[in-house]
Amino acid sequence: MEEVDWLSNCSTSDDVKCTTLNVIRVLFGSLSFVLSLCMIFTIWLFKKYMFFSQRLILYLGIAALFDSIPYMMGNIDNIIGCKIQGYLMTYFDWTCVMWVCVITANMYRWVKEEVSFESSESLFHLICWFLPALIAGIPFKWQSYGHSGPWCWIKGDHQIDQILRFVIWYGPVLALVFILTGFLIYLRVYTKRQNRAYANFNPDEESAKSSKWKEVRILFMYPIVFIIISIFPLLTRIQMALSTQSSFPLVLLTSMSAPLLGTANTLLFSCSQEMRQQIRPAFIWEEIKHRKHETMSETYHFAEESTGPDDWLLSQN
Protein backbone atom coordinates (compact mmCIF):
# COMPACT_ATOMS: atom_id res chain seq x y z
CA MET A 1 0.00 0.00 0.00
CA GLU A 2 2.94 2.32 0.51
CA GLU A 3 3.60 2.63 -3.21
CA VAL A 4 -0.05 3.43 -3.92
CA ASP A 5 0.02 6.16 -1.27
CA TRP A 6 2.99 7.97 -2.80
CA LEU A 7 1.42 7.96 -6.26
CA SER A 8 -2.11 8.90 -5.25
CA ASN A 9 -0.87 11.74 -3.04
CA CYS A 10 1.63 13.17 -5.53
CA SER A 11 -0.59 16.18 -6.28
CA THR A 12 -0.01 17.51 -2.74
CA SER A 13 3.17 15.70 -1.71
CA ASP A 14 6.76 16.96 -1.74
CA ASP A 15 8.07 13.40 -1.87
CA VAL A 16 11.29 12.99 -3.85
CA LYS A 17 9.64 10.50 -6.22
CA CYS A 18 6.78 12.89 -6.98
CA THR A 19 9.11 15.83 -7.50
CA THR A 20 11.31 13.75 -9.81
CA LEU A 21 8.32 12.72 -11.95
CA ASN A 22 7.12 16.31 -12.22
CA VAL A 23 10.56 17.67 -13.16
CA ILE A 24 11.07 14.91 -15.76
CA ARG A 25 7.75 15.63 -17.45
CA VAL A 26 8.39 19.39 -17.57
CA LEU A 27 11.91 18.95 -18.96
CA PHE A 28 10.97 16.39 -21.60
CA GLY A 29 7.85 18.37 -22.52
CA SER A 30 9.93 21.52 -22.95
CA LEU A 31 12.43 19.63 -25.13
CA SER A 32 9.62 18.37 -27.36
CA PHE A 33 8.16 21.87 -27.62
CA VAL A 34 11.45 23.41 -28.75
CA LEU A 35 12.31 20.64 -31.20
CA SER A 36 8.79 20.55 -32.67
CA LEU A 37 9.05 24.29 -33.23
CA CYS A 38 12.38 23.75 -35.01
CA MET A 39 10.85 21.08 -37.27
CA ILE A 40 7.88 23.28 -38.17
CA PHE A 41 10.21 26.19 -38.95
CA THR A 42 12.40 23.95 -41.13
CA ILE A 43 9.42 22.68 -43.12
CA TRP A 44 8.32 26.28 -43.72
CA LEU A 45 11.82 27.54 -44.49
CA PHE A 46 12.65 24.92 -47.12
CA LYS A 47 9.08 24.78 -48.46
CA LYS A 48 8.68 21.10 -47.66
CA TYR A 49 4.96 21.77 -47.28
CA MET A 50 4.67 21.73 -51.07
CA PHE A 51 4.60 17.92 -50.84
CA PHE A 52 1.59 16.17 -49.32
CA SER A 53 3.58 13.64 -47.28
CA GLN A 54 5.62 16.48 -45.77
CA ARG A 55 2.45 18.41 -44.94
CA LEU A 56 1.24 15.39 -43.00
CA ILE A 57 4.47 15.47 -41.01
CA LEU A 58 3.93 19.21 -40.51
CA TYR A 59 0.43 18.60 -39.10
CA LEU A 60 1.79 15.90 -36.79
CA GLY A 61 4.51 18.34 -35.71
CA ILE A 62 1.94 21.03 -34.90
CA ALA A 63 -0.11 18.53 -32.88
CA ALA A 64 3.03 17.38 -31.03
CA LEU A 65 4.01 21.01 -30.37
CA PHE A 66 0.72 21.70 -28.59
CA ASP A 67 0.72 18.26 -26.99
CA SER A 68 3.91 19.18 -25.13
CA ILE A 69 2.24 22.19 -23.46
CA PRO A 70 0.22 20.21 -20.84
CA TYR A 71 3.42 18.41 -19.84
CA MET A 72 5.21 21.73 -19.47
CA MET A 73 2.47 22.99 -17.15
CA GLY A 74 3.74 20.72 -14.36
CA ASN A 75 1.77 20.01 -11.20
CA ILE A 76 -1.27 22.30 -10.96
CA ASP A 77 -3.06 22.92 -7.64
CA ASN A 78 -5.93 24.94 -9.07
CA ILE A 79 -8.97 22.79 -9.88
CA ILE A 80 -9.94 24.71 -13.04
CA GLY A 81 -6.34 24.71 -14.27
CA CYS A 82 -6.13 20.99 -13.53
CA LYS A 83 -9.23 20.26 -15.60
CA ILE A 84 -7.83 22.36 -18.47
CA GLN A 85 -4.56 20.44 -18.33
CA GLY A 86 -6.41 17.12 -18.38
CA TYR A 87 -8.54 18.18 -21.34
CA LEU A 88 -5.58 19.52 -23.33
CA MET A 89 -3.59 16.37 -22.68
CA THR A 90 -6.42 14.14 -23.92
CA TYR A 91 -7.20 16.37 -26.91
CA PHE A 92 -3.68 16.79 -28.27
CA ASP A 93 -2.70 13.18 -27.50
CA TRP A 94 -5.61 12.18 -29.73
CA THR A 95 -4.71 14.65 -32.50
CA CYS A 96 -1.22 13.11 -32.57
CA VAL A 97 -2.72 9.62 -32.77
CA MET A 98 -5.02 10.68 -35.61
CA TRP A 99 -2.23 12.18 -37.72
CA VAL A 100 -0.05 9.10 -37.16
CA CYS A 101 -2.94 6.99 -38.49
CA VAL A 102 -3.35 9.28 -41.51
CA ILE A 103 0.39 9.04 -42.28
CA THR A 104 0.16 5.24 -42.08
CA ALA A 105 -2.96 5.07 -44.27
CA ASN A 106 -1.42 7.39 -46.87
CA MET A 107 1.80 5.38 -46.88
CA TYR A 108 -0.18 2.14 -47.33
CA ARG A 109 -2.13 3.51 -50.29
CA TRP A 110 0.97 4.99 -51.90
CA VAL A 111 2.91 1.72 -51.67
CA LYS A 112 -0.03 -0.38 -52.89
CA GLU A 113 -1.58 1.90 -55.53
CA GLU A 114 1.02 4.65 -56.08
CA VAL A 115 -1.58 7.33 -55.28
CA SER A 116 -2.07 9.44 -52.16
CA PHE A 117 -5.01 10.72 -50.14
CA GLU A 118 -4.22 14.35 -51.01
CA SER A 119 -7.75 14.91 -52.33
CA SER A 120 -9.06 14.06 -48.83
CA GLU A 121 -6.78 16.50 -47.01
CA SER A 122 -9.65 18.78 -45.88
CA LEU A 123 -11.57 15.77 -44.54
CA PHE A 124 -8.50 14.68 -42.57
CA HIS A 125 -8.32 18.12 -40.96
CA LEU A 126 -11.96 17.89 -39.97
CA ILE A 127 -11.48 14.46 -38.42
CA CYS A 128 -8.07 14.99 -36.81
CA TRP A 129 -8.82 18.35 -35.16
CA PHE A 130 -12.55 18.12 -34.30
CA LEU A 131 -13.13 14.46 -33.38
CA PRO A 132 -10.51 14.59 -30.56
CA ALA A 133 -12.33 17.62 -29.14
CA LEU A 134 -15.48 15.52 -28.78
CA ILE A 135 -13.59 12.59 -27.26
CA ALA A 136 -11.74 14.83 -24.79
CA GLY A 137 -15.03 16.42 -23.74
CA ILE A 138 -16.64 13.15 -22.59
CA PRO A 139 -15.08 13.08 -19.06
CA PHE A 140 -16.69 16.47 -18.28
CA LYS A 141 -20.07 14.73 -18.12
CA TRP A 142 -18.91 12.83 -15.00
CA GLN A 143 -16.56 15.56 -13.68
CA SER A 144 -13.73 13.05 -14.10
CA TYR A 145 -10.88 15.43 -14.91
CA GLY A 146 -8.71 16.15 -11.89
CA HIS A 147 -5.55 15.09 -10.09
CA SER A 148 -4.32 11.71 -11.28
CA GLY A 149 -1.14 11.14 -9.31
CA PRO A 150 1.65 13.58 -10.24
CA TRP A 151 -0.34 15.17 -13.08
CA CYS A 152 -3.89 16.10 -14.04
CA TRP A 153 -5.92 13.77 -16.21
CA ILE A 154 -8.86 11.41 -15.65
CA LYS A 155 -9.06 10.67 -11.92
CA GLY A 156 -9.09 7.13 -10.60
CA ASP A 157 -11.41 7.74 -7.64
CA HIS A 158 -14.52 5.96 -8.96
CA GLN A 159 -15.33 3.03 -11.20
CA ILE A 160 -16.60 5.33 -13.95
CA ASP A 161 -13.18 7.02 -13.99
CA GLN A 162 -11.45 3.68 -14.56
CA ILE A 163 -13.91 2.88 -17.35
CA LEU A 164 -13.32 6.27 -18.98
CA ARG A 165 -9.56 5.79 -18.85
CA PHE A 166 -9.87 2.51 -20.72
CA VAL A 167 -12.59 3.55 -23.19
CA ILE A 168 -11.16 6.98 -24.05
CA TRP A 169 -7.46 6.19 -24.15
CA TYR A 170 -5.87 2.88 -23.14
CA GLY A 171 -8.29 0.60 -25.01
CA PRO A 172 -8.12 2.43 -28.37
CA VAL A 173 -4.35 2.97 -28.11
CA LEU A 174 -3.75 -0.71 -27.33
CA ALA A 175 -5.87 -1.67 -30.35
CA LEU A 176 -4.06 0.86 -32.57
CA VAL A 177 -0.66 -0.45 -31.49
CA PHE A 178 -1.61 -3.92 -32.78
CA ILE A 179 -3.30 -2.56 -35.93
CA LEU A 180 -0.39 -0.28 -36.86
CA THR A 181 2.10 -3.06 -36.17
CA GLY A 182 0.13 -5.34 -38.49
CA PHE A 183 0.01 -2.70 -41.22
CA LEU A 184 3.74 -2.02 -41.00
CA ILE A 185 4.67 -5.71 -41.10
CA TYR A 186 2.39 -6.22 -44.10
CA LEU A 187 3.85 -3.22 -45.94
CA ARG A 188 7.41 -4.40 -45.34
CA VAL A 189 6.66 -7.94 -46.53
CA TYR A 190 4.69 -6.64 -49.53
CA THR A 191 7.53 -4.32 -50.57
CA LYS A 192 10.12 -7.08 -50.33
CA ARG A 193 7.97 -9.40 -52.43
CA GLN A 194 7.47 -6.69 -55.04
CA ASN A 195 11.19 -6.06 -55.22
CA ARG A 196 11.89 -9.77 -55.74
CA ALA A 197 9.17 -10.03 -58.39
CA TYR A 198 10.50 -7.11 -60.41
CA ALA A 199 14.06 -8.38 -59.99
CA ASN A 200 13.11 -11.49 -61.96
CA PHE A 201 11.27 -9.73 -64.80
CA ASN A 202 12.08 -6.04 -65.07
CA PRO A 203 15.29 -4.49 -63.68
CA ASP A 204 13.98 -0.96 -64.33
CA GLU A 205 10.82 -1.60 -62.34
CA GLU A 206 12.92 -3.16 -59.61
CA SER A 207 14.99 0.01 -59.36
CA ALA A 208 11.82 2.14 -59.22
CA LYS A 209 10.31 0.01 -56.47
CA SER A 210 13.56 0.04 -54.49
CA SER A 211 13.65 3.83 -54.80
CA LYS A 212 10.06 4.01 -53.59
CA TRP A 213 10.92 1.99 -50.49
CA LYS A 214 13.81 4.33 -49.67
CA GLU A 215 11.42 7.29 -49.84
CA VAL A 216 8.85 5.51 -47.66
CA ARG A 217 11.39 4.31 -45.09
CA ILE A 218 11.45 7.55 -43.09
CA LEU A 219 7.63 7.79 -43.10
CA PHE A 220 7.59 4.16 -42.01
CA MET A 221 9.29 5.17 -38.76
CA TYR A 222 6.64 7.65 -37.56
CA PRO A 223 4.06 5.00 -36.57
CA ILE A 224 6.89 2.86 -35.15
CA VAL A 225 7.91 5.74 -32.88
CA PHE A 226 4.30 6.12 -31.72
CA ILE A 227 4.16 2.39 -30.93
CA ILE A 228 7.41 2.52 -28.93
CA ILE A 229 6.36 5.63 -27.00
CA SER A 230 3.01 3.99 -26.14
CA ILE A 231 4.58 0.87 -24.64
CA PHE A 232 5.52 2.21 -21.20
CA PRO A 233 2.19 3.98 -20.48
CA LEU A 234 0.36 0.78 -21.45
CA LEU A 235 2.66 -1.38 -19.31
CA THR A 236 2.21 0.99 -16.38
CA ARG A 237 -1.57 0.82 -16.67
CA ILE A 238 -1.49 -3.00 -16.88
CA GLN A 239 0.83 -3.22 -13.87
CA MET A 240 -1.41 -0.91 -11.82
CA ALA A 241 -4.46 -2.99 -12.77
CA LEU A 242 -2.79 -6.24 -11.66
CA SER A 243 -1.13 -4.94 -8.49
CA THR A 244 -2.10 -2.79 -5.54
CA GLN A 245 1.38 -1.21 -5.60
CA SER A 246 2.59 1.21 -8.23
CA SER A 247 6.01 0.60 -9.78
CA PHE A 248 8.14 3.73 -9.58
CA PRO A 249 10.49 2.64 -12.42
CA LEU A 250 7.53 2.10 -14.77
CA VAL A 251 5.88 5.40 -13.81
CA LEU A 252 9.26 7.13 -14.30
CA LEU A 253 9.67 5.59 -17.77
CA THR A 254 6.11 6.68 -18.59
CA SER A 255 6.91 10.24 -17.46
CA MET A 256 9.95 10.21 -19.73
CA SER A 257 8.37 8.64 -22.81
CA ALA A 258 4.91 10.26 -22.85
CA PRO A 259 6.14 13.79 -23.78
CA LEU A 260 8.76 12.52 -26.26
CA LEU A 261 6.70 12.37 -29.46
CA GLY A 262 7.74 15.84 -30.63
CA THR A 263 11.40 15.09 -29.92
CA ALA A 264 11.28 11.75 -31.74
CA ASN A 265 9.46 13.25 -34.74
CA THR A 266 12.09 15.96 -35.12
CA LEU A 267 14.96 13.46 -34.90
CA LEU A 268 13.28 11.33 -37.58
CA PHE A 269 12.70 14.37 -39.75
CA SER A 270 16.40 15.22 -39.65
CA CYS A 271 17.53 11.66 -40.44
CA SER A 272 17.63 11.95 -44.23
CA GLN A 273 20.90 12.92 -45.88
CA GLU A 274 19.25 15.91 -47.55
CA MET A 275 17.98 17.29 -44.24
CA ARG A 276 21.31 16.77 -42.50
CA GLN A 277 22.88 19.00 -45.12
CA GLN A 278 20.11 21.61 -45.01
CA ILE A 279 20.02 22.05 -41.22
CA ARG A 280 23.60 23.25 -41.05
CA PRO A 281 23.66 26.81 -39.57
CA ALA A 282 25.29 28.39 -42.65
CA PHE A 283 22.76 26.76 -44.99
CA ILE A 284 19.83 27.81 -42.79
CA TRP A 285 21.06 31.40 -42.62
CA GLU A 286 21.39 31.58 -46.42
CA GLU A 287 17.88 30.19 -46.84
CA ILE A 288 16.48 32.72 -44.32
CA LYS A 289 18.03 35.57 -46.33
CA HIS A 290 16.62 34.07 -49.52
CA ARG A 291 13.12 33.78 -48.04
CA LYS A 292 13.34 37.35 -46.72
CA HIS A 293 14.32 38.66 -50.15
CA GLU A 294 11.56 36.57 -51.73
CA THR A 295 8.95 37.97 -49.33
CA MET A 296 10.06 41.56 -49.96
CA SER A 297 9.87 41.00 -53.75
CA GLU A 298 6.35 39.55 -53.49
CA THR A 299 5.26 42.50 -51.35
CA TYR A 300 6.73 44.97 -53.83
CA HIS A 301 5.02 43.32 -56.84
CA PHE A 302 1.71 43.16 -54.96
CA ALA A 303 1.92 46.88 -54.15
CA GLU A 304 2.87 47.66 -57.73
CA GLU A 305 -0.10 45.70 -59.13
CA SER A 306 -2.62 47.09 -56.65
CA THR A 307 -1.65 50.75 -57.15
CA GLY A 308 -3.62 52.47 -59.96
CA PRO A 309 -4.79 56.03 -60.82
CA ASP A 310 -7.58 55.88 -58.22
CA ASP A 311 -5.15 54.74 -55.53
CA TRP A 312 -2.80 57.58 -56.45
CA LEU A 313 -5.59 60.20 -56.22
CA LEU A 314 -6.71 58.82 -52.85
CA SER A 315 -3.16 58.98 -51.56
CA GLN A 316 -2.99 62.68 -52.42
CA ASN A 317 -6.17 63.56 -50.42
Side-chain angles (χ1 to χ4, degrees), residues 52 184 270:
F52 179 61
L184 294 175
S270 60

Short mmCIF file of all heavy atoms in Angstrom, two decimals, residues 52 184 270:
data_model
loop_
_atom_site.label_atom_id
_atom_site.label_comp_id
_atom_site.label_asym_id
_atom_site.label_seq_id
_atom_site.Cartn_x
_atom_site.Cartn_y
_atom_site.Cartn_z
N PHE A 52 2.66 16.62 -50.21
CA PHE A 52 1.59 16.17 -49.32
C PHE A 52 2.13 15.37 -48.14
O PHE A 52 1.72 15.59 -46.99
CB PHE A 52 0.58 15.32 -50.10
CG PHE A 52 -0.53 14.78 -49.26
CD1 PHE A 52 -1.40 15.64 -48.58
CD2 PHE A 52 -0.72 13.41 -49.13
CE1 PHE A 52 -2.43 15.15 -47.79
CE2 PHE A 52 -1.75 12.91 -48.34
CZ PHE A 52 -2.60 13.78 -47.67
N LEU A 184 2.33 -2.24 -40.68
CA LEU A 184 3.74 -2.02 -41.00
C LEU A 184 4.43 -3.33 -41.41
O LEU A 184 5.24 -3.34 -42.35
CB LEU A 184 4.46 -1.41 -39.79
CG LEU A 184 4.00 0.00 -39.40
CD1 LEU A 184 4.67 0.46 -38.12
CD2 LEU A 184 4.26 1.00 -40.52
N SER A 270 15.03 14.80 -39.31
CA SER A 270 16.40 15.22 -39.65
C SER A 270 17.30 14.05 -40.04
O SER A 270 18.50 14.23 -40.22
CB SER A 270 17.02 15.97 -38.46
OG SER A 270 17.07 15.14 -37.31
#
